Amino acid sequence: MPSNVPTFTDLLAGAKRSAVHLEMRDTYYSNPRFESWRQGHCVDWNDRASWWRPFHQEIADAVARGVTVRRARVVSEPVTEYIRWEHYVTHANVTAGEQVRWLPRRLASDLLLPGNDFWVFDDTSVEIHHFSGDGDSIEDEILSDPKLIELCASGFERIWERAIPHEQYEIH
């Protein structure tokens, strides 16, 4: 991104009230932690230094400032191996202070949803994520169009209302 475009870190650090994130893909790019899990490696949740990342600290700092951070995931069932792993590592997100919910895709059929994953910060800006078909991140786009922000924020709220809290969602 050009230097005058805020980063995710900047946007989250500037949030005063809320940051909401919608994820709708069943597979994202592969990464070493996912590959390690696929080979049987389990996270030692008692060894926080081994799994706590700068992202988790940024979330924890935002929550400590009074920002409500929520993440909703729309998933196909039975879930993909990648979503099974995401469910497992969501423990870190929850520990950082995120509220996370899961919505089986079959329960979203009557919802009009935005076409991409996104973050909305304080209902003033939206970071849209663009991915390739195989889940590689192509680019992120920061926009401040009020109509787009309203579309994304209201879509998120409709999903959030019927989604299942992380601690109650069972992988199928």
Side-chain angles (χ1 to χ4, degrees):
M1 280 186 189
S3 61
N4 62 338
V5 176
T7 65
F8 169 81
T9 298
D10 297 333
L11 293 165
L12 185 60
K16 306 260 187 286
R17 297 179 320 279
S18 68
V20 300
H21 184 42
L22 178 63
E23 296 178 355
M24 297 186 293
R25 297 182 56 87
D26 289 318
T27 301
Y28 291 87
Y29 58 91
S30 187
N31 63 60
R33 292 183 309 132
F34 173 57
E35 294 304 326
S36 178
W37 176 83
R38 289 179 78 198
Q39 295 171 9
H41 174 74
C42 294
V43 175
D44 179 356
W45 295 115
N46 293 318
D47 180 12
R48 181 172 157 153
S50 71
W51 54 266
W52 191 260
R53 308 238 177 303
F55 170 81
H56 301 123
Q57 191 59 53
E58 292 169 1
I59 296 296
D61 292 346
V63 170
R65 289 193 323 272
V67 176
T68 300
V69 181
R70 297 181 294 158
R71 178 185 305 256
R73 292 180 170 135
V74 179
V75 296
S76 300
E77 291 180 329
V79 299
T80 63
E81 187 176 27
Y82 192 93
I83 294 299
R84 188 173 300 284
W85 171 73
E86 272 196 336
H87 188 270
Y88 172 69
V89 296
T90 294
H91 174 82
N93 299 71
V94 171
T95 300
E98 273 192 57
Q99 300 171 42
V100 180
R101 292 187 182 182
W102 303 80
L103 182 64
R105 195 172 308 282
R106 64 183 162 69
L107 299 179
S109 298
D110 61 336
L111 298 177
L112 182 59
L113 303 177
N116 295 294
D117 290 10
F118 60 80
W119 280 90
V120 174
F121 301 92
D122 289 337
D123 294 326
T124 61
S125 60
V126 61
E127 180 180 45
I128 305 288
H129 302 287
H130 298 283
F131 294 95
S132 65
D134 62 2
D136 286 334
S137 178
I138 297 173
E139 71 175 327
D140 294 338
E141 188 176 22
I142 312 295
L143 302 166
S144 57
D145 174 28
K147 289 182 181 179
L148 177 62
I149 293 167
E150 171 56 28
L151 174 74
C152 292
S154 63
F156 179 88
E157 292 305 328
R158 285 190 301 275
I159 291 166
W160 189 258
E161 287 173 7
R162 64 174 70 167
I164 302 161
H166 175 70
E167 60 277 0
Q168 296 172 14
Y169 181 67
E170 295 181 22
I171 292 291
H172 293 89

